[in-house]
Amino acid sequence: MSWQSYVDDHLMCEIDGNHLTSAAIIGHDGAVWAQSANFPQFKAEEIAAIMDDFEEPGKLAPTGLHLGGTKYMVIQGEPGAVIRGKKGPGGITVKKTNQALLIGIYDEPMTPGQCNMVVERIGDYLIEQGL
């Protein structure tokens, strides 16, 4: 299966009539493996800051998580595994696997829980596969 099909078929899937607004799979080095058509153009330093927070949990909390120029307030996550952010009626979930970051961005009517479930379920599967 191609990385693009993981994004198209699994991250952008429909849950209770809702789906993510955009999603991507990005290597730890910031290289894009696959992304949805409308995933924001991000800077390498934004991915580096996310990776830093996985290494040193809590580092992003004071400044927020930035992606594509959008700032998300960091909310509860799982240190070293998941970072969750909120901005207005939407937000972001970033799940770290052995080799990549799975990023899902959502807006209402999708709920934070639905976004977390989609992104983290695929992330857990990839970790089980050694990726």
Side-chain angles (χ1 to χ4, degrees), residues 5 7 13-15 36 38 46 52 75 92 97-98 103 107 112 114 118-119 122 124 128:
S5 62
V7 170
C13 68
E14 191 172 298
I15 295 201
S36 61
N38 57 347
E46 292 173 327
D52 285 348
I75 54 177
I92 188 169
T97 71
N98 300 331
I103 303 174
D107 223 328
Q114 289 171 324
V118 169
V119 174
I122 301 304
D124 289 340
E128 287 170 16

Side-chain angles (χ1 to χ4, degrees), residues 91-108:
I92 188 169
T93 300
V94 183
K95 171 76 176 180
K96 181 178 182 252
T97 71
N98 300 331
Q99 299 176 20
L101 300 174
L102 279 72
I103 303 174
I105 299 173
Y106 69 94
D107 223 328
E108 285 184 335

Side-chain angles (χ1 to χ4, degrees), residues 2-131:
S2 76
W3 291 115
Q4 192 60 51
S5 62
Y6 275 101
V7 170
D8 297 341
D9 302 338
H10 299 290
L11 289 173
M12 296 299 290
C13 68
E14 191 172 298
I15 295 201
D16 300 330
N18 303 322
H19 52 81
L20 297 172
T21 53
S22 61
I25 301 174
I26 298 171
H28 289 179
D29 61 357
V32 175
W33 293 9
Q35 64 184 19
S36 61
N38 57 347
F39 193 77
Q41 183 66 45
F42 60 87
K43 297 184 178 101
E45 53 267 23
E46 292 173 327
I47 299 301
I50 290 169
M51 288 301 295
D52 285 348
D53 191 83
F54 280 119
E55 298 302 316
E56 220 178 294
K59 201 167 182 184
L60 285 178
T63 59
L65 183 158
H66 294 261
L67 189 74
T70 300
K71 179 181 177 180
Y72 297 90
M73 179 178 67
V74 176
I75 54 177
Q76 97 291 346
E78 295 167 32
V82 180
I83 300 169
R84 298 182 185 110
K86 190 94 176 98
K87 178 177 174 54
I92 188 169
T93 300
V94 183
K95 171 76 176 180
K96 181 178 182 252
T97 71
N98 300 331
Q99 299 176 20
L101 300 174
L102 279 72
I103 303 174
I105 299 173
Y106 69 94
D107 223 328
E108 285 184 335
M110 185 174 236
T111 65
Q114 289 171 324
C115 177
N116 296 342
M117 187 175 75
V118 169
V119 174
E120 294 174 36
R121 187 179 60 203
I122 301 304
D124 289 340
Y125 170 77
L126 292 176
I127 290 169
E128 287 170 16
Q129 302 305 307
L131 302 166

